Amino acid sequence: MKKLLTVLLALVMVVTLAGCGAKEEAKTPASITYLYNTGSGHQAIAEYCQGAWAQAGVNVNLENQEWATFLNTRKDGNYTVARNGWLGDFNDPISFLDMWTTASGNNDVQFGRDAHKDVAIYSMDLTPYGYEKVENGTWAETYDKLIGYIKTEVDQDKRFGMMHVAEDILMETGCLTPIYYYTDIYMLSDKISGFYCSPLGYKFFQNTTLSDGGTVLPVCIASEPDNIDPAFNSAVDGATLDSHLFEGIAKLVEKDGKLVYVAACATELPEGVSNADGTITYTYTLKDGLKWSDGQELKASDFEFAWKRAAATDTAADYGYMFEPIKGYPDDLAVVADDAAKTLTVTLNNYTPYFEELLAFPTFFPVREDVVANEAWATDPSTFICNGPYKMTAWEHNSVITLEKNPNYIDADTVTMPTLKFFLSDDDNAMLANYKNGDWLMIDSVPNAEIKTLQAEYPTEYYVGGQLGTYYICWNVNADLLGSAGAGLDAVTYQTEQAAVRKAFSLLLDRNYVVDEIGQAGQLPASSFVALGLTEPDGSEFYKNAGHNDGFVGYYDVSAAALESNCAAALEVINKYFGE
């Protein structure tokens, strides 16, 4: 039966949700805090989880933080359980898997860090792929090594097989609780033409026009960005801003209704040259006339500096690991600029099928050494020097960022919208009010309670697009869920039971309810972390091959018919520690 979306008390339970038997008097109720960021959809899912987990006698406190604070709290591991979401950075499953290595700046779960660093319970058998077998290894000895092997393997069948092993290890920890595969909901005024967006979540406005001849486009994609220095940004809203302010060796454009990667600062995207040692070298020639927004010449050495800065260990950039395919990563990248010849020569460890996509990724954008020497350069329009279609002319923090057409941009004649105003808000209701009254012509989020009404009232302005991503809940691997009940357990049993409890929490959730009653935008319930939309070498879908189960796709059955048995299995585990 459908669940009521309500906040339930953990100690006195009288409501039964979707087949999960309520516990009237939990003897030792656990108490955890669920962290989420502002937004009606995030709040609704948080409240749903609170109610569903209360069925197991668990008191769930909800904590809401604004976007930038939320990101940093999660990144620092100062939480127990938090809402999360991941959009692929390029069209390959590794973009969902390499983020969980110990050193990754996107490793919010804290795998391999602090107490988890010495946990030796992980195993992997890579002998079918020509690598070793490890039993009871640490995260560094298993997962980190596995990702390294995947990135150097050129046999695509072996590579994809090992990526399934990586997802198996991730899901066995129980630290990732997938909820649904993303769709992209936004409102776009009929006045706008020339807009496009990507499955990675980026929105593009540089080729837009307004039917009324307007020269200023007011939009709202998110609240105050956490960081828009290309080396340090790790959020989709920041990537959208950076994609208007900078341009890399390559870029993503729309042609004939399709998104394609083309040369940007480079004259072309050449084929690589294979070397005797198995490495592959690319030489990119920069276009003539490239300039920074302050009129200075853009040089090949600016790319060399930017890439080495972003990859360096001392920089500790969230996306530093994106440079791993390049020989010499992290601190001796095989990237050599020749400013006289206007060339950038890059040597990869081996063929990397998604390298052209990386060339268009914000972390690979150029920055200038003298500019970034000022650590606050990316927070003030007077010091924000860029090379893209727009330059920043104003930033009223927590209010609006103004971008104006950059006259020094190499393709300035293709930019059709003179001014973009990115209003900063994460209040869905305020965003919708500004859209309805015409103050904002595009908003990237809407109140969940208004979705059905908007579909009816704005049939040509309400959009649901595909996205390469997964909405999920993450658990801090170092958070103690067992409390005193786990005090007498040996180290291995403790870790195993922690994982079992996390997976039990996952089984208590009715994902069909979430997508039908909360999401309401065609999302699909998720039973794996790697999103749908990615294919194997044989053409099959990666997510459909996950979990190795008969009768259902993924790591657990998310069908409505399986909910009752899922709940029974979950409660059997949780009752061991929080039973009557």
Side-chain angles (χ1 to χ4, degrees), residues 63-79:
E63 181 178 351
N64 171 25
Q65 295 181 348
E66 61 85 23
W67 178 236
T69 301
F70 168 77
L71 284 180
N72 289 317
T73 299
R74 202 175 58 189
K75 188 188 305 293
D76 294 339
N78 296 324
Y79 74 96

Side-chain angles (χ1 to χ4, degrees), residues 13 25 37 43 101 216 276 299 321 365 379 383 412 421 458 465:
M13 310 295 297
E25 295 182 0
N37 62 292
Q43 179 178 348
T101 56
V216 179
K299 302 177 181 179
Y321 63 87
F365 289 161
T379 63
T383 55
K421 283 189 173 289
Y458 295 86

Side-chain angles (χ1 to χ4, degrees), residues 86 88-101 143 146-151 159-160 162-163 166 321-322 324-325 352-354 358 529-530 534 542:
W86 187 255
D89 299 316
F90 44 87
N91 290 293
D92 192 281
I94 195 64
S95 69
F96 286 80
L97 302 171
D98 60 1
M99 61 187 287
W100 300 116
T101 56
Y143 196 83
L146 173 56
I147 296 301
Y149 295 149
I150 292 169
K151 289 189 171 183
R159 184 171 169 273
F160 274 77
M162 289 193 291
M163 284 194 284
Y321 63 87
M322 298 286 273
E324 194 169 11
T352 302
Y354 49 85
L358 291 182
F529 179 65
V530 178
L534 297 166
F542 188 91

Side-chain angles (χ1 to χ4, degrees), residues 229-418:
D229 180 329
F232 293 104
N233 170 67
S234 60
V236 174
D237 60 307
T240 292
L241 287 164
D242 280 343
S243 294
H244 289 83
L245 292 162
F246 294 90
E247 192 158 273
I249 295 294
K251 63 183 176 181
L252 183 66
V253 300
E254 186 177 47
K255 285 190 175 182
D256 301 322
K258 295 182 179 180
L259 296 174
V260 295
Y261 288 91
V262 299
C265 288
T267 58
E268 63 176 347
L269 300 177
E271 295 291 328
V273 176
S274 297
N275 303 311
D277 62 355
T279 60
I280 185 166
T281 298
Y282 295 86
T283 300
Y284 301 100
T285 301
L286 299 191
K287 293 176 179 177
D288 292 332
L290 293 175
K291 293 182 179 180
W292 290 101
S293 56
D294 64 355
Q296 288 195 30
E297 180 186 2
L298 174 65
K299 302 177 181 179
S301 55
D302 294 325
F303 277 97
E304 178 182 353
F305 166 76
W307 291 13
K308 289 181 175 179
R309 169 183 180 247
T313 304
D314 289 345
T315 304
D318 284 355
Y319 271 118
Y321 63 87
M322 298 286 273
F323 294 89
E324 194 169 11
I326 300 177
K327 184 179 179 181
Y329 169 84
D331 294 317
D332 190 25
L333 287 190
V335 177
V336 179
D338 184 333
D339 287 337
K342 295 183 181 292
T343 59
L344 186 73
T345 302
V346 185
T347 299
L348 307 188
N349 294 308
N350 48 265
Y351 172 68
T352 302
Y354 49 85
F355 190 64
E356 281 190 1
E357 296 182 52
L358 291 182
L359 294 174
F361 192 74
T363 313
F364 283 71
F365 289 161
V367 295
R368 210 168 73 207
E369 186 171 7
D370 66 305
V371 171
V372 304
N374 171 11
E375 292 185 359
W377 76 276
T379 63
D380 186 338
S382 67
T383 55
F384 199 100
I385 306 301
C386 52
N387 75 312
Y390 293 88
K391 60 180 181 178
M392 185 189 300
T393 57
W395 187 346
E396 299 174 47
H397 288 279
N398 296 299
S399 179
V400 61
I401 294 174
T402 302
L403 308 186
E404 294 185 3
K405 183 175 176 178
N406 176 12
N408 290 313
Y409 174 51
I410 187 68
D411 292 320
D413 59 339
T414 68
V415 179
T416 56
M417 182 53 61

Side-chain angles (χ1 to χ4, degrees), residues 549-577:
N549 292 299
D550 292 329
F552 61 89
V553 171
Y555 293 89
Y556 34 76
D557 191 343
V558 297
S559 67
L563 182 60
E564 185 174 353
S565 60
N566 284 347
C567 289
L571 290 173
E572 184 176 351
V573 172
I574 294 174
N575 285 348
K576 291 169 59 178
Y577 297 102

